[in-house]
Amino acid sequence: CCSWSRAADRSPGPGVLNAQRRFALPAIAPVLTPLVMAILLLVARDELGISALAWGAVIGTALEAAIVGFALSRRGRPLLPKSTGADLSSLRSRWVPMLLANLLLGGAGLIDQMMAASLGTGAASAIGYGAKLVLAGLHVATLALGVAVLPTYSDAALGDRVGLRGRLRKHVAIVALISIPAVGIAALIAEPVIRILYQRGAFTSADTELVSHVLIAYATQLPAYAATVILVRAAAALDLGRAIAVAAVVNLVATVTFNLGLMGIYGVVGIAAATAPAFLVTAAVLYVAVDRSLSRSR
């Protein structure tokens, strides 16, 4: 945990600011990319077409990097990474399972697209349109959540592990409860938002109805997804790299299993709905691993 903090002190990016308890800017900066994408989609869709999303991603990411880089330079931190340091070997050993977890968890969306393609024309597109807005919101909210709790968990893991156990349970309960109203809000605004953003040209009212259902189904994953983010950070702080990798594999297996079961009943909406139980299983696996680790340290 200490090596994470010290290594972040010499590397560029939001991790440096997080390690120094500067959370506001790293949490706010990721909002820029989906915001710029939405703005370009609204004001320049006729001129740029689908390229508006690509340009929005490029411009938004560049703005994020510029803002974080400016904040780092003001604090006298170097913007170029260094590959030397006595504490980096420990960091690399922890980085490998985290990389595997990110690759596997990130692959769930690709699996959804591949399985949706088997349902016929338009199914994969419905998944893409419906997931886009939900994933943007998840990225902004959970990234802010994750960067805020990791340094606190890292400090507690070195000393007050009993306190960490109670704090973790409290955090998981809070984020799950807060996420439930967010799912309700998504259900209320899904159709009008989809209609405003997409319903024009070949995108019909029937498409709006289908994509809004997909969006609502994807939104149901929010409580379990937010809990998983908290638990992944706790597992990382406790150096449970193997548990993180196992949870990632479980997530992929659960995603495929629930997709197969629900797509046969609800079609493409079933694929979106499968994300909630898949992340619930993933969160349960992580919780058991973290709780056992903390129990052994008592």
Side-chain angles (χ1 to χ4, degrees), residues 14 20 26 32 56 112 131 135 150 153 157 160 172 174 178 250 261 267 270 272 274 276:
Q20 297 178 352
L32 290 173
D112 286 353
L135 294 179
L150 181 54
Y153 287 176
D160 185 17
V172 170
I174 289 174
I178 292 177
V250 168

Side-chain angles (χ1 to χ4, degrees), residues 202 222 274:
L222 182 55

